[in-house]
């Protein structure tokens, strides 16, 4: 499933092809995504200029003067750029955005499982960041507001395990299952620890670990940018060498203790019993 780093790398790959460019046509072959693609989308976007391509959580925001196209990759979605013209569409190539102008190209949305989304938010309805899908999202991991104080304050009433709280998305967005296990390992925190028991010092380490893990994943993904152009096929996770994720029974890269796998809220969690503790040393 595409997580925040994949979406951010997608944004960086697409931005040079779309920002400042005009939409010549939108071809919708399949409207039945997670929600129906608006019937009038092609008419609404034709001839309009894309001002910026932004990201909020795992949503891409295609900013036009008259509104915002909100897209989400769901479970299996991906965007590809085809400079010039696109090859014939395959069974899962549901939408093309055709760009005219100096650098004509076709942006193609492929989504075999169709849990992705493409929604139109007109400017007269207010800021797209207040859209019901986006308004409840926690701060971005790279937002200065996501700091030790924020983590401390937002975990005082939370008795759920810190891993679960990270996944919930209201403390911080973009920490999916893989990055939650990796961040907690880096911070030395047992994923089963009740969130309200985190000390201030451990909140500091957790915030830093989340930023470090996501930054590295985006950097690794950055080396795959050219795969977004002309090619097809899906990327996996950007983390080249996980410390704990999917390494059950293998030795910890730090202390050689076998990595443990448990299930929390029906999702797998991986951790090192020795490197990650319930009680912080500070
Ligand atoms: Zn270890």
């Amino acid at each position: 499933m595409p997580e925040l780093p994949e979406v951010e790398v997608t944004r960086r790959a697409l931005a040079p092809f779309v920002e400042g460019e005009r939409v010549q046509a939108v071809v919708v072959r399949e409207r039945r995504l997670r929600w129906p693609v608006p019937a009038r989308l092609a008419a609404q976007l034709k001839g309009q200029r894309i001002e910026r391509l932004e990201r909020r959580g795992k949503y891409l925001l295609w900013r036009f003067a008259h509104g915002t196209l909100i897209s989400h990759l769901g479970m299996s979605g991906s965007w590809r750029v085809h400079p010039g013209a696109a090859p014939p569409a395959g069974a899962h190539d549901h939408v093309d955005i055709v760009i005219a102008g100096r650098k004509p190209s076709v942006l193609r949305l492929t989504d075999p499982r169709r849990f992705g989304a493409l929604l139109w938010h007109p400017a007269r309805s207010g800021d797209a960041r207040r859209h019901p899908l986006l308004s409840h999202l926690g701060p971005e991991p790279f937002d200065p507001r996501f700091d030790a104080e924020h983590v401390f304050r937002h975990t005082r009433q939370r008795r759920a395990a810190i891993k679960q709280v990270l996944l919930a998305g209201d403390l911080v967005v973009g920490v999916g299952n893989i990055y939650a296990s990796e961040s907690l390992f880096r911070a030395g925190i047992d994923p089963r620890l009740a969130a309200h028991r985190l000390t201030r010092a451990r909140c500091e380490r957790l915030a830093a670990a989340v930023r470090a893990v996501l930054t590295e994943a985006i950097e690794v993904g950055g080396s795959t940018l050219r795969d977004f152009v002309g090619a097809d096929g899906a990327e996996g996770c950007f983390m080249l060498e996980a410390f704990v994720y999917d390494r059950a029974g293998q030795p910890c890269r730090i202390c050689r203790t076998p990595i443990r796998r448990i299930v929390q809220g029906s999702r797998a969690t991986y951790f090192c019993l020795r490197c990650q503790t319930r009680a912080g040393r500070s």
Side-chain angles (χ1 to χ4, degrees):
M1 180 176 359
E3 296 205 28
L4 184 144
E6 287 82 351
V7 179
E8 175 58 21
V9 170
T10 299
R11 189 194 68 76
R12 292 180 188 186
L14 265 50
F17 292 90
V18 304
E19 288 187 338
E21 304 294 336
R22 276 185 200 282
V23 174
Q24 185 175 54
V26 177
V27 181
V28 180
R29 296 182 197 86
E30 173 59 86
R31 291 186 54 219
R32 293 169 299 168
L33 301 186
R34 181 164 181 187
W35 298 285
V37 176
R40 296 191 59 243
L41 189 65
Q44 273 160 329
L45 299 190
K46 187 176 167 138
Q48 301 292 332
R49 185 171 160 273
I50 302 165
E51 296 179 341
R52 290 182 316 283
L53 186 60
E54 300 174 359
R55 180 189 57 75
R56 177 74 176 105
K58 297 204 293 185
Y59 293 89
L60 286 179
L61 307 180
W62 309 60
R63 300 288 201 175
F64 294 82
H66 66 316
T68 301
L69 179 66
I70 300 173
S71 70
H72 193 281
L73 294 173
M75 306 286 285
S76 59
S78 63
W79 286 98
R80 284 289 176 287
V81 181
H82 297 282
H92 304 301
D93 298 336
H94 304 313
V95 177
D96 285 353
I97 297 178
V98 184
I99 302 290
R102 297 166 288 135
K103 291 184 297 185
S105 62
V106 176
L107 306 170
R108 177 165 284 175
L109 176 66
T110 304
D111 187 356
R113 296 182 63 184
R114 292 196 278 118
F115 281 106
L118 212 52
L119 301 167
W120 177 247
H121 182 82
R124 65 173 182 276
S125 301
D127 186 357
R129 286 171 188 256
R130 300 223 179 86
H131 186 280
L133 287 172
L134 308 181
S135 59
H136 65 283
L137 297 178
E140 290 286 325
F142 307 113
D143 186 329
R145 287 179 303 159
F146 175 63
D147 60 7
E149 183 56 32
H150 172 85
V151 176
F152 190 77
R153 227 172 336 109
H154 282 84
T155 49
R156 291 312 89 190
Q157 309 296 326
R158 310 280 285 264
R159 287 170 188 277
I162 182 60
K163 159 86 185 312
Q164 301 293 94
V165 171
L166 276 177
L167 285 186
D170 55 336
L171 180 68
V172 58
V173 294
V175 183
N177 202 41
I178 298 167
Y179 303 115
S181 280
E182 291 297 314
S183 299
L184 288 165
F185 176 81
R186 302 265 187 116
I189 297 168
D190 187 315
R192 301 166 296 181
L193 180 71
H196 71 101
R197 292 186 54 208
L198 280 174
T199 61
R200 208 174 279 266
R202 300 187 103 195
C203 291
E204 176 95 57
R205 278 202 288 277
L206 182 57
V210 163
R211 276 193 298 271
V213 165
L214 292 175
T215 300
E216 284 171 32
I218 290 169
E219 280 168 6
V220 171
S223 66
T224 70
L225 279 187
R226 62 193 162 77
D227 296 345
F228 284 82
V229 180
D232 45 25
E235 294 82 36
C237 166
F238 287 149
M239 185 148 331
L240 282 188
E241 193 176 58
F243 278 95
V244 289
Y245 188 79
D246 208 17
R247 297 194 64 240
Q250 298 178 49
C252 171
R253 297 193 198 280
I254 304 296
C255 75
R256 317 301 295 169
T257 303
I259 298 299
R260 273 193 68 183
R261 177 189 188 275
I262 58 171
V263 174
Q264 294 177 290
S266 76
R267 309 292 303 275
T269 301
Y270 299 86
F271 68 111
C272 172
L273 264 175
R274 186 149 168 210
C275 293
Q276 295 172 256
T277 59
R278 284 172 185 267
R281 280 177 287 274
S282 55

